[in-house]
């Protein structure tokens, strides 16, 4: 019989909600989020992240709350709050520390609960920062009153194939008993099984390098695209040929944002710098990817002969077919175009207009019926991929330019008067 009677998941965003819903199929689970509006929406059966369907929310036994009082005396606490970077690209652990302090007040030492962190951190944070903070804030002793575990999140927004109930969960704990507890809990909800990492630091490191590896590979593709643009060759044509080799890695160029790939390498580089190591490779990739929006804007402006005009950017979310606006790098493209004098309008069929205005100060438009000197396909949403050819042509002025950053219209036969550009 399981010793896990009550689980609290702290943070109900893209990571926490799918995890809490999955766990609630097997255990008694409380989902805590400090955002009152978020809790109200979930209780009403609406998930604005589109990760959990309304019918699944209606069926779940998960209890939603914004009150820490409801979270006392649990057997397991799981922290899934955001870990962004600040304006200087330094790790921002504000939300993690706040969640940690809340848990410290909720712990019943008699239960000796396990506190598991899923939030992405740099190696050493769980044991070196979070554990001591629980001790301090709750007047508790690690090992005697609570124990620590780590299991890196692997949620990929919009990906229904690699969902929480199918992926392999990496787990780690401060002792073997904790590891087996995590194996029991996570093993109960995923067909992918669990992998027991050698240590908590090893599990933290695995998460950091997974995303840093993707970031570096995408940076290589972006640099290749920049090089090839100088000889008027599309990187998409080159990739089509290169992919015929059996061991070619099919990474693609583009704007790198989101909550992981555009952020996690900075956590790894922060640790490196703390240890006196200069992380040249990691930061070089970050510099290329962070500068991609401005480079695209400059390349397009040059292609237009330095003449500014009316521009439309299609897509603001960090990837296709999701409403997630976190760390959108399309806004870098918009900002640079405006610096160059272009009158820029933006559109996105999935992102929340209020969130766009709140986070980036932009007001999305419905582009139907308007024509533009420059139309940029920045995010390959299904609605844009499937846009009828005549509708696409109607967006572009007779002598205007169509820029296809994701290669989604590269096979379209368009009016030859339209000036076409692609990475």
């Amino acid at each position: 019989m399981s010793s896990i009677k009550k689980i609290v998941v702290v943070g109900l965003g893209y990571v926490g909600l799918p995890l809490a819903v999955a766990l609630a199929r097997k255990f008694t689970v409380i989902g805590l989020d400090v955002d009152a509006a978020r809790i109200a929406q979930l209780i009403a059966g609406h998930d604005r992240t589109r990760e959990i369907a309304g019918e699944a929310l209606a069926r779940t036994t998960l209890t939603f709350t914004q009150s820490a009082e409801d979270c006392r005396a649990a057997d397991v606490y799981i922290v899934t709050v955001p870990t962004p970077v600040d304006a200087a690209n330094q790790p921002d652990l504000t939300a993690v520390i706040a969640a940690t302090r809340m848990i410290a007040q909720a712990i019943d030492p008699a239960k000796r609960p396990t506190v598991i962190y899923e939030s992405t951190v740099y190696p050493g944070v769980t044991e070196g920062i979070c554990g001591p903070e629980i001790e301090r804030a709750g007047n508790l002793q690690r090992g005697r009153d609570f124990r620590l575990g780590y299991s890196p999140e692997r949620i990929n927004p919009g990906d229904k194939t690699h969902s929480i109930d199918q992926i392999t969960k990496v787990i780690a704990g401060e002792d073997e008993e904790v590891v087996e507890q995590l194996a029991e809990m996570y093993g109960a909800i995923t067909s992918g099984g669990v992998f027991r990492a050698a240590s908590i630091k090893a599990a933290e490191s695995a998460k950091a390098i997974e995303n840093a590896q993707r970031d570096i590979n995408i940076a290589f593709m972006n640099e290749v695209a920049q090089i090839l643009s100088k000889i008027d060759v599309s990187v998409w044509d080159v990739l089509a040929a290169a992919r015929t080799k059996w061991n070619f890695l099919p990474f693609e160029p583009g704007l790198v944002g989101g909550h992981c790939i555009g952020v996690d390498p900075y956590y790894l580089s922060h640790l490196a710098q703390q240890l006196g190591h200069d992380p040249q490779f990691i930061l070089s990739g970050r510099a290329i990817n962070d500068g991609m929006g401005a480079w695209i804007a400059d390349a397009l402006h040059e292609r237009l002969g330095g003449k500014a005009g009316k521009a439309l950017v299609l897509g603001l979310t960090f990837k296709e077919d999701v409403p997630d606006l976190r760390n959108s790098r399309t806004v870098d493209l918009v900002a640079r175009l405006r610096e160059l004098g272009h009158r820029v309008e933006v559109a996105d069929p999935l992102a929340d207009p209020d969130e766009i205005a709140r986070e980036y100060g932009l007001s999305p438009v419905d582009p139907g019926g308007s024509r533009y000197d420059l139309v940029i396909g920045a995010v390959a949403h299904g609605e844009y991929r499937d846009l009828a050819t005549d509708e696409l042509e109607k967006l572009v002025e007779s002598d205007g330019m169509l820029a296809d950053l994701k290669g989604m219209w590269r096979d379209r036969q368009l009016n030859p008067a339209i000036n076409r550009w692609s990475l």
Side-chain angles (χ1 to χ4, degrees):
M1 189 173 180
S2 176
S3 62
I4 304 172
K5 306 300 182 185
K6 179 180 177 182
I7 300 171
V8 172
V9 177
V10 183
L12 296 176
Y14 283 86
V15 175
L17 181 62
L19 174 64
V21 169
L23 287 169
R25 299 187 189 114
K26 302 289 184 178
F27 305 95
T28 298
V29 182
I30 296 174
L32 170 70
D33 200 291
V34 296
D35 184 345
R38 174 70 167 158
I39 293 297
Q41 289 175 347
L42 293 174
I43 291 174
H46 173 63
D47 171 26
R48 64 174 179 253
T49 70
R50 305 191 185 191
E51 292 297 312
I52 303 296
E55 51 269 29
L57 283 176
R59 291 194 307 267
T60 186
T61 60
L62 172 63
T63 299
F64 298 107
T65 185
Q66 65 178 104
S67 173
E69 289 297 316
D70 296 330
C71 303
R72 293 188 178 277
D75 301 292
V76 175
Y77 294 91
I78 306 176
V79 177
T80 64
V81 298
T83 47
V85 291
D86 62 20
N89 289 324
Q90 294 299 303
D92 181 356
L93 298 176
T94 302
V96 167
I97 296 301
T100 297
R101 290 169 180 166
M102 185 282 296
I103 290 170
Q105 298 302 313
I107 283 176
D108 178 355
K111 282 183 166 284
R112 200 177 174 226
T114 300
V115 183
I116 304 166
Y117 289 85
E118 286 213 8
S119 300
T120 302
V121 293
Y122 56 85
V125 167
T126 300
E127 295 168 290
I129 295 178
C130 297
E133 186 60 27
I134 294 174
E135 291 182 317
R136 187 201 65 77
N139 193 26
L140 301 166
Q141 182 178 321
R142 176 182 163 189
R144 183 192 69 190
D145 301 321
F146 71 94
R147 293 173 296 176
L148 293 174
Y150 188 80
S151 181
E153 61 90 1
R154 282 176 164 171
I155 293 294
N156 183 23
D159 187 341
K160 303 305 179 185
T161 301
H162 303 98
S163 54
I164 187 67
D165 57 347
Q166 299 178 74
I167 61 172
T168 300
K169 282 293 285 179
V170 172
I171 59 172
E174 66 176 62
D175 58 40
E176 191 60 31
E177 187 177 0
V178 171
V179 172
E180 292 310 309
Q181 184 186 47
L182 269 62
E184 174 197 348
M185 184 183 72
Y186 287 113
I189 64 170
T190 179
S191 61
V194 299
F195 177 85
R196 294 165 172 81
S199 65
I200 289 176
K201 286 181 181 178
E204 292 170 324
S205 301
K207 172 60 178 176
I209 72 164
E210 285 171 9
N211 286 323
Q213 181 189 67
R214 286 186 58 78
D215 191 50
I216 289 166
N217 277 285
I218 295 170
F220 172 65
M221 289 293 106
N222 278 336
E223 187 165 47
V224 167
Q226 293 177 13
I227 294 168
L228 295 176
S229 73
K230 297 180 182 299
I231 55 172
D232 206 25
V233 171
S234 170
V235 69
W236 298 107
D237 292 338
V238 176
L239 288 175
R243 283 175 177 146
T244 62
K245 190 171 189 287
W246 61 91
N247 61 352
F248 182 77
L249 302 178
F251 289 92
E252 297 183 349
L255 300 168
V256 183
H259 67 299
C260 285
I261 298 177
V263 173
D264 296 353
Y266 285 122
Y267 276 69
L268 189 57
S269 64
H270 173 79
L271 173 66
Q273 290 163 337
Q274 281 190 324
L275 298 172
H277 177 83
D278 181 13
Q280 298 178 47
F281 200 47
I282 297 170
L283 291 181
S284 177
R286 278 282 75 233
I288 291 171
N289 287 341
D290 275 354
M292 196 62 181
W295 178 85
I296 291 170
D298 288 341
L300 291 173
H301 187 68
E302 181 180 353
R303 186 70 175 259
L304 290 166
K307 181 182 176 182
K310 184 180 178 182
L312 172 67
V313 175
L314 297 172
L316 282 173
T317 61
F318 90 90
K319 64 178 287 190
E320 67 275 6
D321 299 327
V322 300
D324 193 348
L325 285 164
R326 288 176 295 175
N327 194 30
S328 169
R329 298 272 58 92
T330 306
V331 298
D332 299 339
L333 169 61
V334 172
R336 181 56 181 160
L337 285 172
R338 286 182 168 174
E339 286 179 1
L340 293 169
H342 294 268
R343 304 182 307 279
V344 185
E345 294 181 351
V346 299
D348 194 294
L350 298 181
D352 182 345
D354 291 336
E355 187 177 356
I356 293 173
R358 183 174 63 252
E359 295 297 325
Y360 301 113
L362 300 172
S363 299
V365 302
D366 180 356
S370 297
R371 284 185 176 270
Y372 299 86
D373 301 300
L374 172 63
V375 175
I376 304 172
V379 182
H381 289 310
E383 182 173 319
Y384 297 149
R385 295 194 303 269
D386 300 335
L387 194 64
T389 297
D390 62 332
E391 293 299 317
L392 185 57
E393 290 178 333
K394 286 178 183 177
L395 291 173
V396 189
E397 288 284 6
S398 57
D399 59 346
M401 176 183 289
L402 178 67
D404 183 5
L405 305 190
K406 300 303 294 181
M408 55 183 161
W409 303 312
R410 60 192 299 265
D411 297 325
R412 296 288 187 93
Q413 297 298 316
L414 299 177
N415 184 337
I418 294 176
N419 183 8
R420 300 176 69 170
W421 185 90
S422 180
L423 285 176

